[in-house]
Amino acid sequence: MGTIVSFHAHPDDESIGSAGTLARAAAAGHRVVLVFATRGELGEPVPGVLEPGEQLPVRRSAECYASAAVIGAKRVEFLPYTDSGMIGEPSNEAPYCFWQADVEHAARLLAVILDEEEPDVLTVYDDNGGYGHPDHIQVHRVGKRAAELAAVPVVAQGTMNRDWMLRGMKAQNPDFTPPPGMDTVGKSESEITHRVDVVDFVEQKRASMRAHASQMGPDHFLLTMPDPMFALGMGTEFYIVDPPVNPASAPEVFEELFLPLR
């Protein structure tokens, strides 16, 4: 069967953006591999969740393995970089953070894993990292270059469908006004090329989120969302695939999961 390698910036990013795609792939018998650029050292832990003396990156690393088990991933790897923090923070300047990593060098490290796995599909993020987080932008840059080095047939850029989100918000509240900065979240529908229907895997997606208990407590809005609303809001995952894949030579796992948006 096929193989998908899913590259992420921090622990828990896989849960929100692509867990449904990966769970569906694993359920169909395809091999799923998770790679994280950092161990999420600068995350904000849920109050009281850490044991005395417990280090956050150690906990978050363990949570990645728990999430992988829920999703059905067979391998978890970490690149040797640290969390860069949100855009504009002093932590962005740390010489060992992912944002400061040399793209070519980081891509060669990722390419070692890609050469071992020979994936049909590599998932990364869009060029703005979904919402402008420096580590997410770096995942895009490093991932695309690594795919070139390892000759991965398909690179699928995970993103959020901004127009779809706005339609949903307006349906709930006709007076809804988009907040400042909404135009930088995700991508417009015209830029998105593919979707993956994951409605049948939303419970695994939510269980993957619960696995990251240091970041998503029981009262997190995604975990308290009513089941029908969660299925509606999180039951489709969106991607940009560029350049277009020739259907005649498309890998089976890509053709099976990724549906053209239009």
Side-chain angles (χ1 to χ4, degrees), residues 151-171:
V152 178
V154 177
V155 178
Q157 304 170 41
T159 190
M160 292 172 279
N161 186 331
R162 184 192 312 138
D163 299 324
W164 185 78
M165 287 192 297
L166 289 172
R167 285 197 298 271
M169 292 171 182
K170 285 186 176 293

Side-chain angles (χ1 to χ4, degrees), residues 43-60:
E44 296 183 5
V46 172
V49 74
L50 297 180
E51 298 293 334
E54 185 178 16
Q55 298 180 19
L56 179 60
V58 174
R59 166 64 78 89
R60 296 195 74 181

Side-chain angles (χ1 to χ4, degrees), residues 9-83:
H10 318 101
D12 82 11
D13 288 335
E14 85 289 358
S15 297
I16 299 170
S18 60
T21 300
L22 303 179
R24 181 171 175 179
H30 301 294
R31 179 172 171 83
V32 173
V33 175
L34 290 171
V35 181
F36 296 92
T38 80
R39 296 178 187 262
E41 293 84 353
L42 297 181
E44 296 183 5
V46 172
V49 74
L50 297 180
E51 298 293 334
E54 185 178 16
Q55 298 180 19
L56 179 60
V58 174
R59 166 64 78 89
R60 296 195 74 181
S61 299
E63 290 171 346
C64 290
Y65 290 99
S67 171
V70 168
I71 292 169
K74 301 302 183 184
R75 180 179 179 184
V76 178
E77 294 287 350
F78 297 89
L79 299 189
Y81 302 103
T82 59
D83 192 338

